[in-house]
Amino acid sequence: MRQFARDTLLGLLSIAIALALLAAGGELAIRSYHLYRGYSLEGQATRTLVLDDKLGWRARPGYRFAGERRDAAGVAYDANVSTDARGFRLFGDLDVRNKKKMLVVGDSFTHAVDVSDEMTYYAHLADALPVEMFAIGVEGYGTLQQYMLIDEIIDGIAPDILLIQFCANDFINNSFELEFASKGNNNGLRRPYLVNGEITYRIPKNYPGLREFAYRYSRLLYWIFKNIDRLHAQSGEEIQHDMSSEGAIAERGFAHAPFRESVATTRELLAMIRKRVPPTTPIYIFEGFGGQPYYKALEQVVAEADLRLIKRVPAAILATREQGIEIHAQDGAHWNNTGHRVVGEALREYF
């Protein structure tokens, strides 16, 4: 029995050592590849994002990409993408006197890593209007993160106009319950949520503690989680109410209680933005797709928060698509050069 116990212990120890060496080798291989590709090895969530204790994550400062992108039709085009030391895609002259200053804040459609700096919708807008442009967007941001970002930067820029780019999935990202049950609008990162008037931080995935460790310290474990999430998002498995959040909202609309609650939270967040921005500064907001029931909810909360909704952007995008013109980048969701031009022109016509 003693011999058996000793052999079992040695066997288990050998397996543990082998697994540890395998994990160490995998971690070294991934980190070596990232170092070769020029990725930062400190606090990185993705190539374009960095982790942040306050906001959850931020646009990577000093990000650079110069090379080929493709649109959803597979057509290649050149892109030169950059952010400044603050994560802005465009940062104008703070001391300008002969122009109004416009600040644009948004999510991945404003982060716009699929197009060159001069091809973004706000660059087109800056070229067409007598405004000094400041623009920052961060992939995956919800309305609370946008509010917190505006709170940080509004006083330093003192814009005459604030333009917020909204996305239908903000209603999902503004709710832990909806985001946890989402398949396509959940990046699994720790983010702030507004709950009963208080800001709380959670990771909308299973095993949040292990994920937090992976995001901060283990490239191998992060890679494993990322691929598990990708496979899950592509599978037919449903995870809540016999369907994902997107499916539940599409089927039930405002009858889906978590969606109604998120609409109320979004209304509160937009009111917080209106209160934070000087009353003499008009706040405009636009959304690009007009899908229901999201757009109806947006119309309601924007009116109640005393913001101004620009309604012509979804119509402009739809009209372009109906002509058979490709407006999407390779992922089929974000805009390519044409999409950004169409959005910029619709905004120019409005202003």
Side-chain angles (χ1 to χ4, degrees):
M1 290 297 295
R2 285 196 296 271
Q3 181 65 36
F4 175 77
R6 185 166 52 251
D7 291 345
T8 300
L9 180 62
L10 288 174
L12 292 174
L13 183 60
S14 298
I15 292 173
I17 292 174
L19 290 175
L21 290 174
L22 182 63
E27 186 75 24
L28 180 61
I30 290 177
R31 285 179 174 265
S32 297
Y33 173 74
H34 285 178
L35 189 62
Y36 169 74
R37 292 296 301 271
Y39 303 163
S40 168
L41 297 180
E42 299 299 327
Q44 176 171 298
T46 69
R47 290 180 302 135
T48 56
L49 304 175
V50 290
L51 298 176
D52 183 80
D53 288 337
K54 179 182 177 183
L55 291 174
W57 60 93
R58 295 178 184 266
R60 177 170 293 283
Y63 173 74
R64 296 289 184 274
F65 172 84
E68 182 180 277
R69 297 289 202 203
R70 291 184 179 272
D71 67 17
V75 177
Y77 59 93
D78 292 330
N80 288 281
V81 184
S82 68
T83 60
D84 70 8
R86 295 150 292 205
F88 280 75
R89 287 298 304 272
L90 283 180
F91 197 90
D93 182 3
L94 290 173
D95 298 322
V96 67
R97 292 290 182 268
N98 60 343
K99 296 180 181 179
K100 290 183 179 296
K101 289 185 287 186
M102 176 180 285
L103 171 62
V104 179
V105 176
D107 57 23
S108 55
F109 289 88
T110 301
H111 202 167
V113 297
D114 293 297
V115 298
S116 296
D117 301 347
E118 71 278 5
M119 300 301 291
T120 57
Y121 72 84
Y122 37 87
H124 286 293
L125 193 57
D127 288 340
L129 298 178
V131 297
E132 193 71 10
M133 184 64 70
F134 303 79
I136 184 169
V138 188
E139 296 173 30
Y141 262 20
T143 311
L144 175 56
Q145 288 162 303
Q146 292 181 357
Y147 162 76
M148 296 169 75
L149 181 59
I150 290 169
D151 181 55
E152 283 187 0
I153 65 179
I154 189 89
D155 295 332
I157 296 175
D160 300 287
I161 301 167
L162 173 61
L163 176 62
I164 298 174
Q165 172 261 310
F166 192 88
C167 186
N169 63 15
D170 290 345
F171 287 112
I172 293 174
N173 298 143
N174 292 343
S175 161
F176 174 81
E177 183 175 356
L178 288 177
E179 188 166 27
F180 187 87
S182 169
K183 296 176 111 181
N185 296 292
N186 182 346
N187 64 11
L189 296 177
R190 172 183 174 272
R191 80 156 79 233
Y193 298 91
L194 189 68
V195 180
N196 297 323
E198 299 290 334
I199 296 177
T200 182
Y201 291 83
R202 299 183 71 178
I203 293 178
K205 290 283 189 180
N206 291 318
Y207 316 111
L210 191 58
R211 287 176 179 271
E212 182 77 6
F213 175 84
Y215 299 149
R216 293 186 179 278
Y217 306 114
S218 174
R219 296 306 172 89
L220 176 64
L221 196 56
Y222 172 74
W223 179 85
I224 292 172
F225 275 129
K226 181 175 69 173
N227 283 278
I228 289 174
D229 291 341
R230 180 180 294 119
L231 290 173
H232 178 70
Q234 294 171 349
S235 74
E237 178 185 356
E238 304 297 352
I239 56 176
Q240 183 172 321
H241 304 298
D242 298 322
M243 60 180 66
S244 66
S245 290
E246 293 82 357
I249 294 170
E251 180 176 300
R252 303 171 189 170
F254 286 89
H256 187 48
F259 179 60
R260 290 199 310 273
E261 293 166 3
S262 179
V263 172
T265 298
T266 304
R267 179 188 304 113
E268 184 177 357
L269 290 167
L270 292 180
M272 289 166 57
I273 294 175
R274 179 64 277 179
K275 184 177 180 180
R276 177 62 181 87
V277 176
T280 55
T281 302
I283 303 176
Y284 301 88
I285 189 167
F286 77 94
E287 196 267 346
F289 299 98
Q292 300 297 351
Y294 302 99
Y295 205 77
K296 180 179 179 180
L298 180 61
E299 288 179 312
Q300 292 177 358
V301 298
V302 167
E304 291 165 355
D306 194 27
L307 276 61
R308 306 178 188 184
L309 180 61
I310 302 174
K311 298 183 179 182
R312 65 180 60 212
V313 175
I317 289 177
L318 179 61
T320 306
R321 293 183 63 186
E322 288 178 342
Q323 296 175 45
I325 300 173
E326 184 58 67
I327 65 165
H328 290 125
Q330 189 170 22
D331 63 7
H334 297 95
W335 302 317
N336 63 7
N337 289 334
T338 301
H340 276 271
R341 177 181 56 77
V342 169
V343 173
E345 289 176 352
L347 293 171
R348 173 187 56 79
E349 291 170 2
Y350 175 87
F351 284 108

